[in-house]
Amino acid sequence: TIRRKLFDVREQRVHPHKDDKILTDWNGLMIAALSKAACAFDDLEYARAAGRAADFVLTNLRGSDVRLKHRWRDGHTAVAGNADDYAFFVWGLLELYEATFDAETLETARSLNGELVKHFWDDHDGGFFFTADDAEELIVRRKELHDGAIPSGNAVAMLNLLRLGRITGDSEFEAMAARIGRAFGREIAGLPSAHAQMLLAADFALGPSAEVVIVGDPGGTDTRQMLRSLRSHFLPDKVVLLRTVTEADSAISRIAEFTGMMTAVDNRATAYVCRNFVCQKPTNDVEEMMRLLVSQ
């Protein structure tokens, strides 16, 4: 009763302003987290939430020129997207793809990563500037490197590039990632604890890492069993692709051409475990798939 009376009195006061703006970079981080949760807990509700967030950003924070904006509030966007907006949102989309295997999500991630490279990449010294090449002219275009409350945009972008390289088979992505590592290697070696995300990217680059392609019916029990087994083990240095058995769905083959010749053996869900695009003998057996992954 007393709390109710206090609340009624407080309601007569002027309310403080609420920070209810929607930011592209923070949503990218949340989309990545929700997508990871969807896989770890085998719960599609997390994936649906991640998908709704991604759709909102793409609908409201991407302009007709496909460039991202940083902020949305009350129906209005403002502030040109920075490197973190692109890197974090691409990260979210890559994780969302592995939760849903929607090839359009993967294509959007690749497209937005292209915008990041086009407008933020330092072709002279490597790494990404925080501001775009056509943004307000500053005395110095800085580069973010240290992890703080959120990870470094360059570190997230480096891991994105490595994953895109393994997904698409385009070695240029991995070459750019290597240049980021070389550009900041001295600073990272001097204080590794301040660059945890960059070390995750370096771990992926040094390997062993893997490309896993599952060929099967997305709704099939055998396909789901393979995916569930993959997701139940902590194997961060891998990319996972799903190629459906239906001829009508060739979207993933256009993005990852090396999957084009992969088929379902004996019309059952089949796993191709590859390292540096050299694939082991395909298998229908879940335990054999996991043995191939952890044995190298």
Side-chain angles (χ1 to χ4, degrees):
T1 302
I2 292 172
R3 289 195 319 197
R4 180 75 247 178
K5 290 179 179 179
L6 285 171
F7 180 79
D8 291 341
V9 172
R10 287 173 177 153
E11 278 295 281
Q12 298 173 24
R13 300 175 182 174
V14 176
H15 282 224
H17 291 296
K18 299 180 179 68
D19 186 358
D20 57 358
K21 61 183 177 291
I22 292 174
L23 303 178
T24 299
D25 53 351
W26 288 11
N27 271 274
L29 294 174
M30 183 53 71
I31 292 165
L34 287 167
S35 300
K36 282 179 172 289
C39 295
F41 299 118
D42 195 21
D43 189 338
L44 285 178
E45 183 55 37
Y46 291 113
R48 285 190 284 267
R52 290 194 298 270
D55 289 342
F56 183 93
V57 171
L58 292 171
T59 301
N60 296 283
L61 282 149
R62 183 173 61 166
S64 57
D65 60 353
V66 306
R67 304 276 295 276
L68 293 175
K69 292 289 188 179
H70 176 62
R71 175 180 66 77
W72 181 96
R73 185 176 184 275
D74 283 345
H76 301 286
T77 58
V79 187
N82 56 54
D84 285 3
D85 291 313
Y86 285 88
F88 294 176
F89 189 56
V90 168
W91 183 14
L93 293 177
L94 290 175
E95 297 293 350
L96 181 57
Y97 168 74
E98 290 202 6
T100 63
F101 296 109
D102 177 10
E104 185 178 348
T105 298
L106 192 55
E107 183 55 50
T108 302
R110 183 169 65 168
S111 173
L112 287 173
N113 191 79
E115 292 298 313
L116 173 64
V117 172
K118 180 179 179 180
H119 295 288
F120 296 85
W121 179 252
D122 180 359
D123 199 44
H124 186 268
D125 295 316
F128 292 100
F129 293 110
F130 186 73
T131 54
D133 54 0
D134 55 358
E136 177 185 359
E137 188 172 348
L138 304 173
I139 297 175
V140 176
R141 287 179 73 194
R142 61 191 175 93
K143 298 175 185 175
E144 296 290 346
L145 177 60
H146 300 90
D147 294 337
I150 58 177
S152 150
N154 267 286
V156 172
M158 180 177 174
L159 188 51
N160 290 345
L161 287 165
L162 289 165
R163 293 175 71 181
L164 284 168
R166 297 304 176 87
I167 289 168
T168 64
D170 187 345
S171 61
E172 182 61 26
F173 287 120
E174 295 191 67
M176 294 183 76
R179 287 196 65 188
I180 295 175
R182 288 195 296 270
F184 303 121
R186 181 174 297 178
E187 290 89 340
I188 298 167
L191 189 59
S193 61
H195 306 91
Q197 185 70 26
M198 193 71 79
L199 293 178
L200 290 176
D203 184 68
F204 189 106
L206 293 171
S209 56
E211 307 89 43
V212 183
V213 182
I214 306 297
V215 183
D217 176 5
T221 301
D222 51 356
T223 302
R224 293 201 302 270
Q225 186 179 4
M226 280 190 166
L227 292 174
R228 190 175 296 114
S229 183
L230 280 172
R231 292 165 173 174
S232 65
H233 292 75
F234 182 65
L235 299 167
D237 295 342
K238 69 180 186 313
V239 296
V240 182
L241 301 171
L242 177 66
R243 177 176 168 79
T244 65
V245 293
T246 57
E247 184 65 28
D249 184 9
S250 60
I252 194 62
S253 299
R254 292 194 294 270
I255 299 170
E257 292 185 6
F258 71 96
T259 67
M261 300 301 292
M262 295 178 175
T263 59
V265 177
D266 297 330
N267 293 317
R268 296 163 54 201
T270 304
Y272 292 77
V273 177
C274 316
R275 297 192 185 277
N276 296 317
F277 307 105
V278 177
C279 300
Q280 301 296 316
K281 183 179 179 181
T283 180
N284 305 121
D285 185 75
V286 174
E287 291 185 5
E288 175 65 9
M289 173 188 70
M290 296 309 304
R291 188 193 67 79
L292 291 172
L293 268 173
V294 301
S295 63
Q296 300 182 33

